Amino acid sequence: MVIPLYRPGTSYLHRMPVGAKFLGIFLAALAASIFRENLGVLLGIWAVTLLGFLFSGIGLRGLVAQLWRLKWLVVVLTIPQLIFLTPAEAGFNVARVLAVVLLAALFTLTTATSDILSSFERVLRPLDPLLLRLGLSAERISLALSLTIRSVPVILSFYADIREAQRARGMRPAPRATVLPLLVMSLRHAEETAEALAARGVR
């Protein structure tokens, strides 16, 4: 599974301030949560998502690629809900989650990590005197938040790799057979990230 990375471009979405993109994702997630059963709101969010992929230059092919990478997330979300909800209700809930996740992926695809760091630092800069008393700084917090954002698709890719390997061996999904390798791979990734930061002089 390919991890969604920043794709340089000159579209309006690429040039939009990071704060405005965050606000858009937040409002979409808030609307999807408050108006849980409103089909119009859901279609509106999906329309914004589709237009975002089209006008950013990523296109329908990029949108389909992102949906394909989320196939196991769809399975994980759908199966438990079908036990307690009707297929229509489960499908509605999964569609809401997918729309917000795709917006987050679009944010990653159209926003450079350096811009994310700069935005976090600007927001946290007024709090520097308080943060220094706690042994923190705006730069370190922005770096931690940026690493957290970048780690989500990485861990999802680990999960997809594990499932593909299990299918290749004819194994059935099992919590222990999935969680333990995922934990090991995630810890290894965290260790490699820490070593890379240390090599660059970041404590």
Side-chain angles (χ1 to χ4, degrees):
M1 177 179 177
V2 179
I3 301 169
L5 297 175
Y6 171 64
R7 297 185 185 179
T10 58
S11 70
Y12 176 74
L13 197 58
H14 282 84
R15 293 180 280 110
M16 183 183 294
V18 177
K21 296 181 189 181
F22 264 120
L23 179 61
I25 296 174
F26 172 76
L27 291 177
L30 184 63
S33 299
I34 295 177
F35 305 101
R36 299 174 61 89
E37 299 178 359
N38 192 312
L39 181 59
V41 172
L42 178 60
L43 292 177
I45 296 174
W46 271 98
V48 170
T49 303
L50 176 60
L51 292 174
F53 273 88
L54 291 176
F55 288 109
S56 65
I58 299 172
L60 285 176
R61 180 177 295 182
L63 175 59
V64 172
Q66 294 300 321
L67 284 170
W68 179 251
R69 294 186 182 108
L70 295 171
K71 58 184 180 295
W72 295 114
L73 176 63
V74 174
V75 173
V76 170
L77 290 175
T78 302
I79 293 177
Q81 294 193 70
L82 288 176
I83 300 175
F84 304 101
L85 303 175
T86 66
E89 292 173 330
F92 200 91
N93 289 335
V94 172
R96 289 190 300 110
V97 175
L98 275 182
V100 177
V101 171
L102 286 172
L103 282 177
L106 185 61
F107 170 82
T108 304
L109 290 166
T110 59
T111 311
T113 303
S114 57
D115 293 337
I116 298 175
L117 285 170
S118 299
S119 297
F120 280 138
E121 289 180 19
R122 285 196 298 270
V123 172
L124 294 173
R125 186 69 64 188
L127 301 177
D128 248 352
L130 176 61
L131 294 174
L132 290 174
R133 294 179 183 178
L134 301 175
L136 302 172
S137 66
E139 290 83 358
R140 293 177 67 182
I141 293 177
S142 63
L143 177 60
L145 291 174
S146 177
L147 289 174
T148 300
I149 293 173
R150 303 295 291 182
S151 295
V152 172
V154 173
I155 294 175
L156 286 176
S157 71
F158 290 159
Y159 176 78
D161 291 341
I162 292 170
R163 288 295 302 121
E164 290 177 4
Q166 289 175 341
R167 288 202 315 276
R169 295 179 174 85
M171 298 173 57
R172 293 183 177 180
R176 183 176 181 181
T178 302
V179 173
L180 290 180
L182 181 61
L183 180 60
V184 171
M185 295 173 72
S186 300
L187 291 175
R188 185 180 302 162
H189 170 69
E191 184 177 357
E192 292 173 351
T193 301
E195 291 175 354
L197 293 174
R200 290 167 173 78
V202 180
R203 294 190 298 113

